[in-house]
């Protein structure tokens, strides 16, 4: 299923304040990832401006509001609008987070970690299957940051993630910065985590930079990518047939040339020769 997806290369999260700079650097940016929720209920002229980007870039919708871990089926109207957006953008896949952003009664408006339990697994798998039934494109789930382990877990995050992907057929949007942040704050080996999940299901990767706030490393998307995150990216690229690497930089923007340099470095990592069985290179 994932082998047939196009190789997009290295891209950038689309942010309106950087529109002019992004368009001027179109030759250096292979694709754009858009925040789905900004367009599901948008005015027609905003959607038209989005679709005009297709003339210069492939577009990938990435959601923040699906709330795949909430114990209710995804809203049919939301899914219908999302399906229309995926179709109109011509996206080869779409994604959201392995988290919840609302309860059945309340919007939390925050990517909130799941309990790693059998009940939570059942809910997530049911909801993912509802999404994939209604939207005819490959669906990816992204790992999130969290700053304390929830009590009552029955399995590790790696075990939970693996079972979700294997039981639903979903792909993985692997955020290696999130892995790094969690490893620092929660005290685990990020390479052991990566080796414990089905990396072969990785379709897309996110990279970003964070900073220390109050003694915690926080995923702010406001700083250069840490060298340790670049190493994790190379580790995954050596082991998985990744189709796309995406830089997220949402605030504290430097000169746009530094952002382009990050995209270029990611592309170079994707293109470097790698060992293949038998001792030759590819």
């Amino acid at each position: 299923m994932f082998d047939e997806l196009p190789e997009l290369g290295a891209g950038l999260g689309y942010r309106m304040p950087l529109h002019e700079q992004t368009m001027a650097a179109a030759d250096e940016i292979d694709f754009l990832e858009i925040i789905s929720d900004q367009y599901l209920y948008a005015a027609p002229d905003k959607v038209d401006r989005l679709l005009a980007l297709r003339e210069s870039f492939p577009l990938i919708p990435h959601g923040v509001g699906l709330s795949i871990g909430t114990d209710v089926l995804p809203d049919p109207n939301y899914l219908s609008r999302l399906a229309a957006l995926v179709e109109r953008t011509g996206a080869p896949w779409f994604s959201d987070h392995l988290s919840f952003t609302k309860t059945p009664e309340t919007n939390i408006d925050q990517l909130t970690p799941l309990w790693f339990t059998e009940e939570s697994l059942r809910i997530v798998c049911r909801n993912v299957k509802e999404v994939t039934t209604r939207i005819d494109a490959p669906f990816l789930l992204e790992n999130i940051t969290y700053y304390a382990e929830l009590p009552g877990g029955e399995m590790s995050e790696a075990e939970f993630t693996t079972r979700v992907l294997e039981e639903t057929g979903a792909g993985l949007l692997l955020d290696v910065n999130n892995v790094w942040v969690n490893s620092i704050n929660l005290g685990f080996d990020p390479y052991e985590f990566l080796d414990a999940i089905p990396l072969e299901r990785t379709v897309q990767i996110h990279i970003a930079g964070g900073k220390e706030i109050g003694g915690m490393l926080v995923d702010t998307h406001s700083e250069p990518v840490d060298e340790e995150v670049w190493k994790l990216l190379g580790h995954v690229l050596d082991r998985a047939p990744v189709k796309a690497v995406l830089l997220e930089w949402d605030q504290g923007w430097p000169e746009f040339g530094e952002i382009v340099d990050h995209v270029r470095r990611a592309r170079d990592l994707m293109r470097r020769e790698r060992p293949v069985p038998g001792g030759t290179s590819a």
Side-chain angles (χ1 to χ4, degrees):
M1 178 180 181
F2 304 125
D3 289 343
E4 297 178 358
L5 293 175
E7 295 184 6
L8 296 188
L12 181 66
Y14 178 69
R15 304 297 180 256
M16 276 295 299
L18 300 180
H19 176 82
E20 295 300 328
Q21 298 97 314
T22 300
M23 297 304 298
D27 290 344
E28 292 279 4
I29 300 168
D30 296 328
F31 72 99
L32 297 177
E33 183 184 79
I34 63 168
I35 303 300
S36 307
D37 303 78
Q38 295 178 353
Y39 299 96
L40 299 184
Y41 302 91
D45 61 329
K46 183 175 181 179
V47 176
D48 289 342
R49 289 195 297 271
L50 168 69
L51 297 178
L53 293 172
R54 287 190 63 185
E55 298 176 10
S56 302
F57 308 96
L59 301 179
I60 302 294
H62 178 56
V64 295
L66 185 55
S67 197
I68 206 71
T70 302
D71 192 12
V72 292
L73 285 173
D75 175 46
N77 182 53
Y78 184 101
L79 292 182
S80 294
R81 290 173 179 270
L82 180 56
L85 181 68
V86 170
E87 182 177 4
R88 294 189 70 187
T89 55
W93 63 79
F94 68 106
S95 60
D96 208 298
H97 299 80
L98 189 53
S99 68
F100 70 97
T101 57
K102 62 185 177 183
T103 69
E105 299 84 17
T106 306
N107 285 324
I108 302 171
D109 292 328
Q110 175 67 38
L111 297 173
T112 306
L114 303 172
W115 280 271
F116 301 137
T117 64
E118 293 290 341
E119 180 182 9
S120 181
L121 179 71
R122 175 189 60 79
I123 291 166
V124 169
C125 291
R126 179 200 65 194
N127 290 348
V128 169
K129 291 174 182 177
E130 181 73 7
V131 172
T132 56
T133 296
R134 291 177 172 268
I135 302 178
D136 187 23
F139 179 47
L140 314 184
L141 286 166
E142 179 184 0
N143 57 301
I144 69 165
T145 53
Y146 54 103
Y147 300 94
E149 294 189 45
L150 297 180
E154 298 169 358
M155 65 192 84
S156 68
E157 180 188 4
E159 291 170 326
F160 186 88
T161 301
T162 297
R163 289 187 61 186
V164 168
L165 298 179
E166 291 181 347
E167 293 182 25
T168 64
L172 178 61
L173 196 175
L174 178 62
D175 191 313
V176 290
N177 185 63
N178 290 353
V179 174
W180 171 244
V181 168
N182 289 349
S183 75
I184 295 298
N185 292 332
L186 302 177
F188 63 81
D189 186 321
Y191 293 94
E192 289 182 1
F193 175 88
L194 291 173
D195 292 343
I197 62 176
L199 286 180
E200 71 277 4
R201 302 193 73 84
T202 307
V203 175
Q204 183 180 337
I205 293 177
H206 277 176
I207 55 175
K211 61 184 177 180
E212 184 175 322
I213 300 175
M216 302 285 284
L217 183 56
V218 180
D219 181 37
T220 58
H221 296 182
S222 65
E223 304 293 328
V225 174
D226 192 281
E227 286 301 318
E228 294 301 324
V229 175
W230 288 113
K231 292 177 184 178
L232 290 172
L233 172 60
H235 178 84
V236 177
L237 291 174
D238 285 345
R239 291 159 174 78
V242 176
K243 303 295 186 179
V245 177
L246 189 285
L247 172 67
E248 297 180 297
W249 207 316
D250 297 342
Q251 56 186 324
W253 294 298
E255 291 295 322
F256 199 74
E258 183 175 348
I259 293 176
V260 171
D261 286 344
H262 274 63
V263 175
R264 188 182 296 118
R265 182 173 177 180
R267 184 185 301 109
D268 290 344
L269 274 174
M270 294 184 75
R271 291 177 176 175
R272 76 181 183 188
E273 291 191 349
R274 291 184 164 79
V276 295
T280 60
S281 62

